[in-house]
Amino acid sequence: MTTYAVTAATGQLGRLVVEELLERGVEAGDVVAVVRSPARAADLATRGVRVREGDYSRPESLPAALEGVDRLLLVSGSEVGRRVEQHANVVRAAEAAGVGRLVYTSILKASTTGNPLAPEHAATEEALRDSPVPTVVLRNGWYTENYSASLPQYLASGEVVGATGDGRVSAASRADFAAAAAGALLGEDALVGLDGGAHAVHELGGPSFTLAELAEAVSTATGQRVAHRDLSEEELAAHLRGAGLDEGTAGFVAALDASIARGELETDPAALEVLAGRPATPLAAVLADAVATRA
């Protein structure tokens, strides 16, 4: 019997991974949902999932959370600036608990990209390479929902504004990345590293699109014409400041677009589809769902 644990199991990605494991036939009693607030996972507990309290920032909470766990998904934390320490707490606890496989959600091209989100992921990957626990690093691209959630903004302004040039985004839905994470926990091939070792890295993303193609897809999905306006990184930062963002946030968002322009969020979708066991969800389908939800 193998016990699987998912951290941040009440979050948008973690909950989907728990659901994916159950749908693939893992017994509820063999799934551990590690959460900061067990009350938020009461529905999972009712279904037989073992809910345990575990907080990345409270290392004393982690040994009990990971006791008896064979395979662990570490969903990267959301507190930018604190994640290296938080993730290290989980890695140390996993080592002490004798976890046999640790799967981590990183970011595309973490070791080479100029994406401002990458340094903490790269540092975590380094800690995983130094750990004796066999690891699978899932370098995830953008969520398609990052864009579908902006439908109200696109429709209100009549445009998709960015600084990506002709850069392409290999986005996939959260459900796609959750399916890939479940595949990495369950499958044996996921652990084969590029060097034949026990530390594997997978670059994951869906079929790519430009922001111009996104604007066309939004127009088709909504029936309202939405244009694409491409700016320089500096112009986008100024545009965002004019929309009310503070200077630091505006510069950060503009730097993300600059990373796309350099091709740093594009990858072949084949790796995701192999781990997920199915094709990635098309952009049009995610947008259609978002439109239906708004109706």
Side-chain angles (χ1 to χ4, degrees), residues 173-189:
S173 71
R174 283 192 181 88
D176 293 336
F177 287 120
L185 285 170
L186 295 169
E188 299 309 319
D189 293 341

Side-chain angles (χ1 to χ4, degrees), residues 88-242:
N89 289 338
V90 180
V91 172
R92 286 191 290 268
E95 293 171 358
V99 169
R101 178 185 303 183
L102 191 156
V103 180
Y104 171 66
T105 60
S106 185
I107 195 170
L108 268 179
K109 305 178 183 179
S111 58
T112 58
T113 181
N115 190 312
L117 287 171
E120 289 182 301
H121 289 294
T124 299
E125 289 189 20
E126 183 176 353
L128 290 170
R129 285 192 296 271
D130 291 340
S131 172
V133 179
T135 60
V136 181
V137 173
L138 305 179
R139 289 181 171 173
N140 291 347
W142 260 203
Y143 297 134
T144 315
E145 289 88 347
N146 291 352
Y147 296 106
S148 62
S150 296
L151 274 178
Q153 174 187 329
Y154 299 151
L155 296 176
S157 65
E159 59 183 4
V160 174
V161 180
T164 59
D166 294 326
R168 305 187 70 82
V169 184
S170 295
S173 71
R174 283 192 181 88
D176 293 336
F177 287 120
L185 285 170
L186 295 169
E188 299 309 319
D189 293 341
L191 196 56
V192 179
L194 296 177
D195 60 356
H199 296 273
V201 176
H202 301 273
E203 305 275 359
L204 303 182
S208 66
F209 53 85
T210 64
L211 290 198
E213 292 168 346
L214 171 65
E216 288 292 334
V218 170
S219 299
T220 299
T222 64
Q224 177 179 324
R225 180 61 186 167
V226 173
H228 170 237
R229 179 157 62 107
D230 191 56
L231 306 174
S232 69
E233 182 179 354
E234 295 75 17
E235 289 169 337
L236 178 60
H239 171 79
L240 294 171
R241 290 194 298 271

